[in-house]
Amino acid sequence: MEDEDRLRQAGLRVTAARLAIMQTVREGDHLDVDAVHRGVRERVGHVSLQAVYDSLHALHREGLLRRIEPAGSPARYETRVGDNHHHLVCRQCGRVTDVDCAVGHAPCLDPASDAGYQVDEADVIYWGVCPECRSEDAR
């Protein structure tokens, strides 16, 4: 499905900035707001940082983008939504890598106690050191 159709189905106006955000995030790798802003400006010219923030919020709210917030890192965005995948984060360089579901069906992990909640999603972040940083450390 095209981005224009996704925006319309979500009840959002189709704008050049929103289309550029979707394309930038899709082609990026768990981009933060500043990286999205740079990518959008390269595609459509001047767009304010506030407009990018507002659009990212709307796209996330409508389920078109996923927002992840690793501790100590700015929020990151991706277009892979609805599959309850998880992430690996490098403690040294901050690189984020997708990890498919840990075990079983969504929500992938069952809590020891659900405290009466009806659980429908798990958000797991694995922390470690990526292969590139490990190879640099070995030098």
Side-chain angles (χ1 to χ4, degrees):
M1 181 183 304
E2 297 289 325
D3 288 337
E4 294 92 346
D5 296 331
R6 286 185 181 94
L7 289 168
R8 285 186 189 102
Q9 281 189 337
L12 297 173
R13 282 188 320 118
V14 176
T15 66
R18 285 182 177 156
L19 293 172
I21 288 170
M22 294 291 290
Q23 184 178 9
T24 299
V25 172
R26 182 181 308 97
E27 293 174 1
D29 186 20
H30 302 93
L31 300 177
D32 64 18
V33 175
D34 290 333
V36 173
H37 185 231
R38 283 191 302 275
V40 170
R41 285 188 322 200
E42 289 172 8
R43 286 178 167 82
V44 298
H46 179 74
V47 174
S48 73
L49 183 58
Q50 186 61 51
V52 171
Y53 269 106
D54 292 345
S55 290
L56 286 169
H57 176 73
L59 294 166
H60 172 257
R61 181 186 67 235
E62 297 304 324
L64 299 175
L65 294 180
R66 183 172 177 188
R67 176 185 168 129
I68 63 166
E69 298 182 62
S73 173
R76 310 282 187 97
Y77 294 87
E78 64 182 337
T79 56
R80 187 174 170 188
V81 297
D83 67 351
N84 199 222
H85 69 280
H86 307 302
H87 298 93
L88 288 160
V89 178
C90 180
R91 290 184 186 280
Q92 292 181 349
C93 70
R95 179 180 174 191
V96 178
T97 302
D98 288 340
V99 176
D100 288 324
C101 202
V103 176
H105 301 286
C108 302
L109 304 173
D110 295 317
S113 169
D114 64 15
Y117 285 69
Q118 181 179 346
V119 178
D120 62 10
E121 184 176 355
D123 187 13
V124 176
I125 296 180
Y126 300 95
W127 293 87
V129 179
C130 73
E132 289 81 11
C133 289
R134 283 197 346 257
S135 67
E136 288 177 14
D137 289 346
R139 293 180 198 166

